[in-house]
Every structure is written in structure tokens, then in C-alpha cells.
Amino acid sequence: MLPAYSPESYTDFSQPTARRAFEDALALVRSRFGQRYPLVVGDQRIVLDDTFASVNPANPSEVLGYFANGTAEHADQALRAATDAFRTWQYASAQERARYLLRAAAEMRRRKHEFSAALVYEVGKSWAEADADTAEAIDFFEYYARQMLRLADSDHLLTAYPPEQLNLQYIPLGVGAIIPPWNFANAILSGMTSAALVTGNTVVLKPAEQSPLLGWMVAELFWEQHLPAGVLNFITGPGEVVGARMVESPLTRFVSFTGSRSVGVGIYEKAARVQPGQKWLKRAILEMGGKDAVLVDETADLELAAQGIVASAFGFQGQKCSAGSRAILVDSVYERVVERVVSLTQTLSVGSTAAGPEVYMGPVIDQEAYDKIRGYIEIGAQEGKLLTGGHVIETETNGYFIPPTVFGDVLETARIAQEEIFGPVLACMRARDFDDALRIANGTEYGLTGAVYSRSRERLEQARREFHVGNLYFNRKCTGALVGIHPFGGFNMSGTDSKAGGPDYLLLFTQAKSIAERL
Ligand code: NAD
């Protein structure tokens, strides 16, 4: 008997005890800096001399850990181990599989701040963002465990046919390649991995190069629950080597990927090619980028809208696929909203998030992201009017800090209005009226999230019909989807709309078997 699912509550860091507990967790994570981590394939730990470092983006001279530079051969080895383990794991009962997730949830809850502290150091999350990321990981475990138990009991969905006894089983697919991004280094990685495992698949997990420590911590959490060897294999290394091999191998039955549009499209094409010896058509679950918009009309609560725009654009430095990187404002309120957005943006603090919960924005993830975002700021200065931010932040630690940056009077055709920047850069755009705002909002190749601020019932209903995004929000920000509450995933080039954290998600990791026995 399980209590009903409800999302994990967030930590109140204004409480001195919570603050102290988090500081202790930061110290604990720091005390492990510089360790070396192996690949884990079946029951073997493979230590390599060839390693890469996971560094603190607020201070890149600090090394969180050294991770093995795996090769295509290691990927093959891991896929073989997963294939062997699948022979038995596929028959573990749904109850047994669900229990692994429930135990992982309980343990992660006990060590919540430790996981969040690792997020602060490894990807530069603020305390609140890190706390939410860990809460979401716990939510995925709790939610998918319950969803699997529901799926395991599907016979009643069929129409009774008395001459036969009927049975509908959602059986696993086989070996999955799990390829997550770094930006929700705990939540997305935990969600993708646990969904595959609870449905009876075995996996090879390859965390993003920027956040292998979180991947290790999650994998270790499962191994500590005595998950059988080979069910969850862990390999690190370059995505274009290790990840590419995982996608191409004939042993792989499905790919679960979350990341950029360009890598996702490449995986889609490669996974479609049937390799010699391959006995199935691979399934590809691909969640990709966004160019999400917040719309405001003249009937809206403009203060609420400005706050929503700023939170959507700059939470976690704008490095969310759901980040609201476009504010589309009807002409009559454009000046007022933009003025308020700029003044709210100027109150945001930027710095090392390890310093305390007051720091709102940390660094961007790495030098490559820093250069890319700075490049877009230069492009933006040509395409629009720089209203705030845009300057270079020098620090003694050489952290990858970029100030929250707002451009005004950006045209819908501008590159900063069309391309995913994945950083703290907001493009404010003027629309003639609400129809025009909706047209501009739908005018990119993406379709992930969107928000509308309006008090007009008619316009909200129009947006409900016409705003073509997977996650649409009214009178609230366009980030912060909750597991089980806002099933998450987008349209068009935002991906396959898998709706993570929703009631249909686990079906993607299964195939249905219909069995009839004549009585
Ligand atoms: P990325 O595409 O660079 O990397 C994602 C993963 O793919 C990493 O694990 C990487 O190692 C791996 N990879 C890279 N090249 C590969 C290859 N050739 N073959 C196989 N695997 C390969 O993305 P990122 O920078 O880690 O994440 C940011 C992106 O993710 C943004 O575009 C963001 O919008 C998107 N994202 C989407 C969602 C969603 O739900 N739609 C959620 C979070 C992030």
C-alpha cells in the first residue's frame, strides 16, 4: 500500500537550521573533490588512466572529480553487460522494480542537500534551483514507481470476451541508451534512468561531460539498493564517441536522449539506420531545445507579468529548455512592461552560488557556453537595443559569469529571437495586438513552453487553441513544471513530446503484449 503521490516540498533556506545543513552538505561534497571515478560495466569497475575533469564553473580551477574517458569499445562492453542482465531483469515483477525506485527516493530524500550541494558545485545552480532539481528527481522516482504499478494492472482496460481469458502486458523493450543533458543534472538524468529501469529495461547511462559527478551519485544510489549487476551500467566520455556508439550499436533497443536540437536530430537519423545483425527498429525518445515566449496583453496584471518574465528568463542563468527567452508585449503596454523588466533584472545578484542562498544567478556551464552566449550578446547589440547587462564580469576565480541581459525592440526575424541561446539573454519584442503576439510566438521552429499574461477569457481561450507549445501556462511563468502535475515535453524541433512526469511516459519504454487463452 502506497500513499498517493505528491510532489516533494522545497527547503526554506531562511531557516537557520536549513542553511547550516546545506553548508554542511557543501563541505561534505568539497571534501570529496579531486577523486577519480571508474566506469561501471556489469560487476566490474574499470579505472582508466585517461580521464577528464569535472570542474566548478564558478571557479574552474576546482576539480570535483576525474572521470574515465571511455571509448566506443567500453560502450560495446557496457551494452553487452546490459544485454546479459536483461535476460533476467525483464522478468522481475513490477512491484520489485518499483521498490528500487521507492528506496532510491527515500535515500535521496535523506541525503537531499548532498545531491543539491553537488549541483551547486558542478553546474552552478543557486541553492533554490538545486533544491528544486533534487526534489524533482525524488518526484520522478515516486511517480514512476506508482505509474508502473498502474501499468502492470491493465487487463481491465480490455473489453471482456467470455470465451477467452485476456491479458494485456506492457513488457520492456530491451537495452536502453540513456543520454541526458547537464542542465537538470539530477532530475532529468534520474527521470530518464528510472523510467527505463522500472519498466524492466536495462540501461547504459552516459551522463553529460559537464556533470558526470551527479550521474555517478545517482547510479551509486541505485547500486546501493542492490540493483543486480548489469542492470545499470555507467560510462563516461565524449558524447560524440561513447554516446554515438551507444546510439549506433545493434544491441541498443531504444535511445532516451535529452539535449540540443543538433545532437538530437543526429541521433534521430542514426537510430533510424538498421545495423547488420539488428533485430528491431530502435525507438528514439528525443527531447530537445526551446525558444520559449512569454506574452503580455494590455489587460494583464503588468507587475505579475514583469516578475514572470524575469523569473522565466534568468532562473538558472537562462539555462533551462523552458526558459522564457522572448517577451512578446502588445504595443500599448510595451514600454511599461519593459521598464519594469529592466529594473527587476537589475536587482538580480550574480556570483558564486556556494556563497549562500541569496545569490540568484551563478555562472554559465563552461567556456564553450560562455563564448557562445557572449557571441549572441554581440549579435543582439546589432539586432536590438541593449537595455541592461551585456558587460563582461571579471572575477579572480575566472568563473563563467554573464550578467542578466535584456534587449529591446528585437524583430521576430532576428537571430536572438529565433535561435536558442541557452543563457541569460532576453529579447523583448513588440506586437501590434494579441493576434500578432500569438503569431510571433508561434514563429520559431520550436514549441516547448509558453506563458500568456492576460485577464481576457476570450484571449486565454484563443491561446489555449492556437499557441502551439507542449507546456502552456496562463498568468504564471513558463518554467517550473512539476512531476505528475505538468507533464513535460514539446512540439516540432523541441522533440518527440514524450511528456516526462506524465501518465503516458512509461509507455514509451514498453511494448504491449496482448494474450488470449481460450477457456
Ligand atoms: P547536448 O546536446 O550538447 O548534450 C546532451 C547529451 O548528448 C550529453 O550527454 C552529450 O554527451 C550527448 N552527446 C553529444 N554528442 C553526441 C552524439 N554525437 N551522440 C550521442 N550523444 C551525444 O546538450 P546539453 O548542452 O547537455 O543540454 C542543453 C540542451 O538540452 C539545450 O538545447 C536544452 O534546451 C536541451 N534540454 C531539453 C529539455 C527538454 O525536455 N526538451 C530538457 C533539458 C534540456
Side-chain angles (χ1 to χ4, degrees):
M1 172 75 190
L2 280 174
Y5 163 79
S6 71
E8 189 70 12
S9 51
Y10 296 145
T11 307
D12 175 4
F13 290 114
S14 68
Q15 298 297 318
T17 46
R19 189 181 174 123
R20 267 197 305 278
F22 202 88
E23 282 164 354
D24 289 348
L26 286 166
L28 177 67
V29 172
R30 271 197 91 84
S31 71
R32 299 184 192 136
F33 274 11
Q35 287 183 18
R36 180 185 286 236
Y37 295 86
L39 308 174
V40 178
V41 173
D43 56 6
Q44 283 181 55
R45 293 187 163 218
I46 304 170
V47 179
L48 299 184
D49 290 333
D50 185 10
T51 60
F52 66 98
S54 169
V55 302
N56 176 1
N59 182 354
S61 67
E62 289 182 347
V63 175
L64 276 73
Y66 294 94
F67 288 83
N69 236 334
T71 62
E73 288 70 42
H74 292 119
D76 285 340
Q77 234 177 306
L79 291 162
R80 280 197 297 274
T83 304
D84 287 346
F86 183 66
R87 293 200 182 95
T88 45
W89 177 250
Q90 64 178 316
Y91 299 124
S93 71
Q95 286 77 5
E96 181 186 345
R97 293 181 328 231
R99 274 195 291 276
Y100 284 103
L101 272 62
L102 295 170
R103 287 205 301 262
E107 184 59 15
M108 190 181 283
R109 194 176 287 118
R110 275 191 282 275
R111 292 167 48 200
K112 197 173 192 176
H113 293 334
E114 187 186 327
F115 280 84
S116 302
L119 286 162
V120 168
Y121 281 127
E122 193 165 44
V123 297
K125 290 214 165 185
S126 68
W127 290 24
E129 292 283 352
D131 188 57
D133 191 327
T134 301
E136 190 177 348
I138 295 169
D139 288 346
F140 278 130
F141 297 153
E142 295 279 0
Y143 182 76
Y144 291 149
R146 287 164 176 76
Q147 288 300 317
M148 187 61 233
L149 296 177
R150 179 182 65 83
L151 261 193
D153 179 23
S154 293
D155 290 351
H156 64 278
L157 298 173
L158 302 173
T159 301
Y161 185 62
E164 297 176 359
Q165 199 245 318
L166 305 179
N167 180 214
L168 179 63
Q169 294 179 0
Y170 288 96
I171 65 169
L173 294 169
V175 173
I178 308 294
I179 308 179
W182 51 265
N183 72 328
F184 281 81
N186 189 1
I188 293 182
L189 179 143
S190 289
M192 292 164 68
T193 307
S194 62
L197 294 178
V198 81
T199 41
N201 303 285
T202 55
V203 304
V204 178
L205 167 63
K206 191 215 71 63
E209 292 90 314
Q210 297 90 339
S211 57
L213 180 63
L214 257 301
W216 172 266
M217 289 171 69
V218 173
E220 199 178 38
L221 188 72
F222 274 97
W223 298 323
E224 283 168 0
Q225 313 313 316
H226 306 289
L227 195 70
V231 172
L232 167 51
N233 303 279
F234 175 83
I235 62 173
T236 48
E240 55 278 23
V241 177
V242 178
R245 181 63 192 155
M246 286 160 60
V247 171
E248 281 167 13
S249 168
L251 295 178
T252 298
R253 176 65 182 82
F254 69 97
V255 181
S256 176
F257 165 86
T258 306
S260 60
R261 176 200 187 286
S262 60
V263 174
V265 169
I267 290 178
Y268 184 60
E269 291 171 359
K270 278 196 200 121
R273 200 168 305 130
V274 176
Q275 302 291 338
Q278 187 178 316
K279 285 204 332 205
W280 42 65
L281 299 175
K282 285 176 196 164
R283 194 173 291 175
I285 306 157
L286 309 167
E287 297 312 313
M288 315 193 302
K291 189 70 195 173
D292 311 307
V294 180
L295 272 64
V296 185
D297 79 0
E298 70 283 9
T299 69
D301 177 333
L302 300 186
E303 176 59 27
L304 197 69
Q307 287 174 10
I309 289 169
V310 171
S312 302
F314 301 124
F316 189 36
Q317 298 81 270
Q319 300 172 116
K320 300 183 186 181
C321 53
S322 56
S325 55
R326 296 181 294 157
I328 305 175
L329 316 167
V330 301
D331 195 43
S332 58
V333 293
Y334 179 90
E335 302 295 346
R336 276 162 66 200
V337 176
V338 166
E339 195 180 311
R340 190 66 188 131
V341 163
V342 168
S343 67
L344 287 171
T345 300
Q346 287 167 346
T347 66
L348 302 179
S349 51
V350 183
S352 168
T353 52
E358 304 76 24
V359 182
Y360 184 78
M361 279 177 55
V364 299
I365 188 69
D366 58 15
Q367 184 72 50
E368 196 181 321
Y370 181 88
D371 292 343
K372 179 179 159 196
I373 298 163
R374 292 236 45 104
Y376 273 112
I377 289 175
E378 279 168 29
I379 293 167
Q382 311 295 317
E383 293 182 329
K385 197 158 122 201
L386 178 63
L387 300 176
T388 189
H391 53 280
V392 171
I393 299 178
E394 306 267 9
T395 57
E396 281 175 13
T397 57
N398 296 317
Y400 306 121
F401 297 103
I402 294 188
T405 299
V406 181
F407 288 102
D409 289 314
V410 177
L411 297 179
E412 61 187 283
T413 50
R415 285 185 64 192
I416 63 163
Q418 289 289 328
E419 297 171 18
E420 187 184 47
I421 299 172
F422 220 56
V425 181
L426 172 67
C428 295
M429 305 159 77
R430 225 180 258 273
R432 278 192 308 280
D433 51 26
F434 190 70
D435 282 345
D436 194 38
L438 265 184
R439 186 190 59 73
I440 295 170
N442 283 331
T444 76
E445 62 179 6
Y446 295 107
L448 190 45
T449 76
V452 177
Y453 284 86
S454 172
R455 288 194 182 101
S456 157
R457 173 53 40 200
E458 198 186 325
R459 288 185 185 161
L460 293 177
E461 292 305 321
Q462 185 185 355
R464 201 180 280 268
R465 289 189 304 272
E466 296 175 17
F467 197 167
H468 195 58
V469 290
N471 286 74
L472 180 57
Y473 302 100
F474 294 156
N475 295 314
R476 54 149 288 183
K477 63 180 181 159
C478 66
T479 54
L482 292 169
V483 171
I485 294 172
H486 312 110
F488 190 81
F491 302 152
N492 295 346
M493 281 301 170
S494 292
T496 52
D497 191 44
S498 62
K499 286 294 183 275
D504 306 325
Y505 188 67
L506 294 189
L507 291 175
L508 297 165
F509 297 81
T510 67
Q511 49 199 341
K513 185 168 179 179
S514 163
I515 304 169
E517 180 176 344
R518 188 161 183 88
L519 298 172

